[in-house]
Each structure stands twice: as C-alpha cells, then as structure tokens.
Amino acid sequence: MKILLAACNAKYIHSNLAVYNLRAYAGEYREHIILKEYTINQQKDEILRDIYLEKPDIICFSCYIWNVEMLRQLCPILKKIMPDCVIGFGGPEVSYESETFLRENPAVDFVMRGEGELVFTKYLEHLDTGNPATLGEIESLTYRQGEEIFSTPQMHPMDLALLPFPYEEDFSDVQNQIIYYESSRGCPYHCGYCLSSVENGVRFVPLDKVLPDLQKFLDKNVPQVKFIDRTFNCKKSHAMAIWKYLHEHDNGVTNFHFEITADLIDQETIDFLKIVRKGLFQFEIGVQSTNPQTIRAINRNVDFAALSEIVQQIKDGGNIHQHLDLIAGLPYEGYESFKKSFCDVYALAPEQ
C-alpha cells in the first residue's frame, strides 16, 4: 500500500511537525509513506493534481484552524476522482467533535483523535492484517462503516520518550523551511480561546532524548529551530537545562525560538539570559490583551506590570529578539480597548 501524509501549511516556509512525527513513528511501514506539504495559497486544482498523480491508497491530512475549510473542500473532489482511496483526518481541529465532523463530511473515512503517532501506526497494522474486526480495537479512532459512525475509547497519553527524531539526519526533507521541535506536550494554563486548555497537565520529553536531538541541529548548522511547546518555561529546571546546553554548545549560527510566559522568569534566569550569544535565542511572549476584564474572561492569570518589567530586562540585555503577541476580538475588547492594548505593548518596543 502507498500512504500519503499531507500537510497544508499557512506559508511555504512553514513545515508540519505532525506528519514528520507520524512517519518517524511508523517503523516498518515508513518505506510505504510519502510526505507532501502544500500551502493554503496554492490553487486547489494544483494540489488535487499532485495527489492524484501519486495514486495513494490512503491519504491522511493534518488539520488546523487555518486549513480545515480548504481540506473540507478538497476531499469530496478527491473521492470522486479516487473513489477507492481511504481519507483520514487528524489534528486539533477535528479531534474534539469527530463524530459530527464525519457526519458533515461524508468524503472523510476516519478521524484520529489527539496524539496521532500510535493511532496511525495501529491503523496501518490493521490494514496489514486485513481483518476488519481489528478496526474497533484501535483507541482514539472515529470511523465510518457503511452508514454508521463509531468512536473507540480515548487512548492514554503516550510515553514521549518513545518519539523518534522526526527528520532525516541530513535534514534534506526540510530544506528551506522552518524546522519545528517539541520538548513537551500540553499546557498548564486554561485560556478560554485555546484548544490546549482542554488538555490536563504537561508532559515533558526526557532531557536525555532532547539534548542529543538538539545536538543534531547544532551539528548541521540549521538556521533556525522553533520549539512548539505551548509554554516552554512552565518548568524552570527543564527550560534552564535546555537553555544552558544550547549556550554551552552554541555553534554561532543556529537560532532557537521559544514561546514563553514572561512573568514566570525570575532574576536567576534573567542573569543567565544576559550572557548568551546575541541571536541564539528568540522569545515569543503572548500578552493577548491588557484589558483586565478581558484577561479575567479568558482565564489568563498574567500581571502585565510584572510582564513588562521582565520584557524590559530582557531588552536591556540587547541579545534576545522578542515577539509580543496580541489577539484581536477577545471578549470585552472593542476597538478602543484593543487600541489601548496595542499601545501598551508597542510602548515596550519589542522587535516585533
């Protein structure tokens, strides 16, 4: 069988860590898997043609808020031109109301809910055996059989120590793209606008796996690695161990991007950050709003005054590029309130 793992990214320079993880975890089935990365800016006909020419037996799409509508439009056409091809979806945008999603999208045959590595591999094993009865034994799967839709129980969170390194050793599979990496899954916060808020707790990849992985990036002088950890510094010992390793093994080239919560940073961390090479680290800090009523409504516990002080101290170091983010359209934040939030953050003079 031929399996196509397809991503539809927001920009060409982006890559999709999910499909690389699925391929890496698939073990003996890896040789049957091809990866395709498209963008939402491509013509749908161009994407359809490319998929059709590959003649896959199975297509699995990675679904997010920026691409799910486009994928919903592509799949009925794919079913018409490739009626025997099995189409599966996975990702945060389809994991939580999967039965409804399948009812509304008859061209999609199954949905992998939550973490996909083990679900995907179990599904390939099921196809390999040719035994229809084993389909219902795969946890975290929602699927259709005839006119009926079934959902199996949710799988327990996987052991992150078992995640293989997702990329080829020479990074030939992500040439000219941003490389993404994760050292944890989950988030300690429950912000009302974010799908991560439905997860319980944070799980960390063991450092004895993370540090050798990072050395592979350093050895190849890749330009940039973006950590997709939701709150990278939620556990100080984990964050500091990684930061210190990158500082001590700095190759003078690679930049590492982290999404952090600034008000968790203490003075010891500030003192350390001031000594790292300029350009080694880049921070993305989610402010979202400075309206106290809005902050309460979205369940964030961020002290903007404390955050501002930390941002200023990092800025004083002159060596770390900072992105400060806002979200437009949150509860209780109209144009005037958003303008104030914008001005509050702009006054801190971040690089972006």
Side-chain angles (χ1 to χ4, degrees):
M1 58 184 171
K2 187 176 187 180
I3 305 118
L4 173 61
L5 292 175
C8 201
N9 303 324
K11 295 180 180 179
Y12 170 76
I13 197 172
H14 294 170
S15 60
N16 182 297
L17 180 57
V19 295
Y20 291 95
N21 274 341
L22 292 185
R23 182 185 64 176
Y25 197 82
E28 63 184 279
Y29 299 104
R30 179 171 177 151
E31 64 187 62
H32 301 287
I33 296 171
I34 58 171
L35 300 187
K36 289 283 186 177
E37 292 193 87
Y38 308 103
T39 81
I40 57 174
N41 302 306
Q42 285 180 261
Q43 294 292 326
K44 288 196 288 290
D45 285 351
E46 182 183 351
I47 298 173
L48 288 164
R49 179 180 184 277
D50 192 64
I51 292 174
Y52 178 76
L53 291 175
E54 288 291 346
K55 296 289 193 294
D57 300 295
I58 306 164
I59 308 172
C60 292
F61 288 102
S62 182
C63 304
Y64 301 87
I65 192 170
W66 61 82
N67 69 12
V68 67
E69 286 306 315
M70 184 178 189
L71 297 178
R72 286 164 66 118
Q73 296 169 29
L74 283 175
C75 287
I77 307 172
L78 283 171
K79 269 296 185 191
K80 286 181 180 178
I81 61 177
M82 305 168 63
D84 296 327
C85 184
V86 177
I87 298 177
F89 275 30
E93 210 58 29
V94 295
S95 285
Y96 301 104
E97 294 182 342
S98 52
E99 291 186 18
T100 300
F101 183 84
L102 283 187
R103 280 192 290 270
E104 293 175 351
N105 297 274
V108 182
D109 298 295
F110 67 92
V111 170
M112 298 180 287
R113 306 189 312 270
E115 292 178 295
E117 289 90 354
L118 193 55
V119 188
F120 177 65
T121 305
K122 292 287 186 185
Y123 186 79
L124 298 184
E125 290 173 355
H126 150 75
L127 294 177
D128 207 14
T129 63
N131 181 1
T134 59
L135 188 60
E137 298 173 4
I138 304 171
E139 294 177 308
S140 296
L141 189 71
T142 300
Y143 62 96
R144 65 173 79 249
Q145 281 190 332
E147 299 298 317
E148 293 189 80
I149 293 173
F150 302 91
S151 284
T152 63
Q154 192 68 21
M155 186 180 292
H156 290 296
M158 68 181 292
D159 180 358
L160 299 184
L162 300 178
L163 283 175
F165 188 71
Y167 305 109
E168 301 290 353
E169 291 293 331
D170 62 356
F171 300 102
S172 57
D173 47 351
V174 281
Q175 288 290 320
N176 304 314
Q177 290 177 288
I178 295 171
I179 296 176
Y180 295 95
Y181 185 78
E182 61 182 342
S183 72
S184 66
R185 287 183 179 176
C187 185
Y189 301 109
H190 298 279
C191 306
Y193 53 82
C194 182
L195 281 176
S196 296
S197 66
V198 302
E199 300 178 19
N200 290 317
V202 184
R203 289 170 296 133
F204 295 91
V205 181
L207 288 170
D208 60 4
K209 177 189 181 311
V210 172
L211 301 183
D213 281 354
L214 296 180
Q215 191 59 50
K216 293 176 183 178
F217 298 124
L218 293 166
D219 289 344
K220 294 297 182 180
N221 289 334
V222 302
Q224 185 178 57
V225 177
K226 282 196 173 187
F227 278 70
I228 62 168
D229 302 43
R230 273 75 155 192
T231 307
F232 177 78
N233 63 323
C234 63
K235 182 179 178 183
K236 180 182 174 182
S237 60
H238 180 82
M240 286 296 289
I242 291 173
W243 283 341
K244 286 180 177 179
Y245 183 90
L246 295 176
H247 168 60
E248 292 165 3
H249 296 80
D250 181 16
N251 60 15
V253 175
T254 307
N255 166 263
F256 292 89
H257 177 106
F258 304 93
E259 188 170 340
I260 68 166
T261 294
D263 53 348
L264 290 180
I265 291 182
D266 59 15
Q267 193 58 49
E268 179 191 9
T269 307
I270 287 287
D271 293 341
F272 164 74
L273 291 173
K274 286 182 177 179
I275 68 171
V276 304
R277 170 179 62 86
K278 183 176 183 179
L280 177 60
F281 296 157
Q282 179 172 298
F283 289 164
E284 181 176 341
I285 299 168
V287 180
Q288 321 313 14
S289 172
T290 64
N291 181 330
Q293 188 179 12
T294 299
I295 291 297
R296 286 193 299 271
I298 61 176
N299 302 319
R300 277 182 77 81
N301 183 25
V302 176
D303 181 338
F304 182 66
L307 180 148
S308 299
E309 184 177 341
I310 296 297
V311 167
Q312 188 59 55
Q313 288 192 64
I314 293 172
K315 185 176 179 63
D316 290 344
N319 60 337
I320 295 177
H321 186 102
Q322 295 185 95
H323 292 195
L324 268 59
D325 293 347
L326 293 169
I327 297 178
L330 292 173
Y332 306 111
E333 185 137 72
Y335 284 109
E336 290 303 311
S337 173
F338 184 77
K339 182 169 71 174
K340 182 181 185 305
S341 289
F342 183 91
C343 291
D344 289 343
V345 170
Y346 195 80
L348 296 177
E351 281 73 18
Q352 188 167 328

